[in-house]
Amino acid sequence: QVGMLTTDDLPLRAQHIAHARDSKARNHQHECYYPLLKAVGEKVLWRQGAHGSELPLSQLTHHFGATSLRIETGDTWQSGQPLWLVENQALFDRTDWLPVGTQATLLYYGGQLDGRLLAWLGQRPRASRVVLFPDYDGVGLANFARLFAQLGDTCECWLMPDWQSKLARYGSQRLWQDTLREFTSAVPQLPDYLGPLTEQMRQSGLALEQEAVWLPVL
């Protein structure tokens, strides 16, 4: 038998091990989240309050390639430039797909938008605009539906140039089928401007991955 311990000053998962021998017992999500960030363009900056800490993102990206920022409920970090969210590392590593002249923060979220990130974005204005570029499949559109529920018209789902031709040429039937359930649930929650995309996906039975942004239209 393990005696009851005073664990209030320990990390949450350590408390769960002490009381239930399982780090994932009950609510096990860490309070803080550390997204991977990089700057596109010069003078991209994040500030904590009007006279608080600064994160010179362009400078850090130039020296180290990327950096991370601890975000948590109640902080006041914000940037005067747009924030772009991408789910695949290729688009984080190589940024020549972005519109010419982009000055922004790029955040890599790895497939699913973390609930702590969504809550943080919804707590206060964090950037001049939030832009999500997802895969055009059920999972990607479900992620945007979650973001749109938090931010409304202050966020945007980005449509790559010539997306209609690329969906027809490079779209995947398997990806469409694998994410159809998420697609069906997400569509009623999406803004009207995504109607042409979702209708073409439905009619063709195809979904399209982000990396098609580099492919030519034949």
Side-chain angles (χ1 to χ4, degrees):
Q1 297 293 322
V2 179
M4 294 301 292
L5 304 175
T6 301
T7 60
D8 292 346
D9 61 339
L10 298 177
L12 186 60
R13 291 196 180 196
Q15 295 181 39
H16 292 341
I17 293 172
H19 296 303
R21 302 177 189 239
D22 181 358
S23 68
K24 297 180 178 60
R26 296 177 290 182
N27 177 25
H28 59 269
Q29 192 172 61
H30 301 290
E31 293 182 2
C32 301
Y33 181 63
Y34 297 85
L36 194 60
L37 308 172
K38 71 187 302 182
V40 180
E42 300 300 320
K43 298 182 180 179
V44 179
L45 181 72
W46 285 78
R47 288 190 175 92
Q48 171 93 289
H51 306 288
S53 303
E54 289 189 352
L55 183 78
L57 189 56
S58 291
Q59 179 182 339
L60 293 170
T61 301
H62 176 73
H63 289 300
F64 306 110
T67 190
S68 186
L69 175 67
R70 170 177 166 148
I71 64 174
E72 57 189 328
T73 303
D75 73 36
T76 58
W77 285 109
Q78 61 184 151
S79 174
Q81 292 87 27
L83 172 64
W84 285 69
L85 313 175
V86 294
E87 64 178 279
N88 293 320
Q89 186 176 331
L91 284 90
F92 186 80
D93 291 339
R94 178 173 160 174
T95 60
D96 58 347
W97 56 271
L98 282 159
V100 175
T102 294
Q103 181 190 34
T105 297
L106 198 59
L107 182 152
Y108 170 56
Y109 64 90
Q112 288 286 356
L113 282 173
D114 191 282
R116 293 163 296 182
L117 176 60
L118 286 171
W120 181 80
L121 290 170
Q123 189 177 47
R124 66 176 69 239
R126 300 294 184 178
S128 62
R129 186 141 184 93
V130 178
V131 184
L132 179 72
F133 178 26
D135 287 331
Y136 302 154
D137 65 1
V139 172
L141 293 177
N143 272 317
F144 182 68
R146 295 168 62 213
L147 182 68
F148 187 71
Q150 285 280 359
L151 303 184
D153 291 335
T154 63
C155 69
E156 172 191 349
C157 183
W158 190 66
L159 296 173
M160 69 177 82
D162 299 314
W163 65 263
Q164 299 94 331
S165 300
K166 292 183 177 182
L167 178 61
R169 173 66 179 85
Y170 301 111
S172 167
Q173 186 178 56
R174 179 194 56 78
L175 184 60
W176 162 259
Q177 292 172 341
D178 288 347
T179 63
L180 178 58
R181 182 174 64 178
E182 291 87 349
F183 175 89
T184 303
S185 298
V187 166
Q189 305 172 58
L190 299 174
D192 291 343
Y193 67 84
L194 291 178
L197 171 65
T198 57
E199 185 59 26
Q200 182 171 333
M201 291 172 66
R202 183 184 289 111
Q203 289 185 3
S204 64
L206 298 172
L208 186 66
E209 295 178 272
Q210 281 181 316
E211 292 88 348
V213 71
W214 283 294
L215 298 176
V217 177
L218 301 178

